[in-house]
Amino acid sequence: MKNKVLWKILLVVGIIPFVFPFIHFAYEMLISSSWTLVDWLVLYSFLYWPTYVIGLILISVSIYKLIK
């Protein structure tokens, strides 16, 4: 039971790198940034691509452990 909760938490942590750019872009638009969504996603993806790799690894491992 405890392990399932841990793997679910790791699944959510793995999803965060894919959701964070959109949330941060919305925040930047409230401050009146001149960036477009595509510009922001390209810049974020270029600078923080390791977060995507870590997120994919966490998602893959946690889904595997939850199914098993």
Side-chain angles (χ1 to χ4, degrees):
M1 183 70 175
K2 257 173 136 175
N3 283 339
K4 281 205 175 251
V5 173
L6 174 68
W7 293 116
K8 287 179 183 179
I9 290 171
L10 286 177
L11 179 65
V12 171
V13 169
I15 292 172
I16 288 173
F18 297 99
V19 175
F20 180 75
F22 295 102
I23 295 170
H24 195 267
F25 175 75
Y27 174 73
E28 288 291 326
M29 290 308 295
L30 289 175
I31 298 176
S32 73
S33 176
S34 62
W35 291 73
T36 64
L37 179 60
V38 174
D39 294 337
W40 177 254
L41 289 177
V42 168
L43 177 67
Y44 182 87
S45 296
F46 182 74
L47 292 176
Y48 300 113
W49 65 267
T51 61
Y52 292 143
V53 174
I54 293 169
L56 281 174
I57 291 170
L58 282 174
I59 291 170
S60 301
V61 170
S62 61
I63 287 176
Y64 174 75
K65 291 292 188 172
L66 284 172
I67 290 174
K68 186 177 179 185

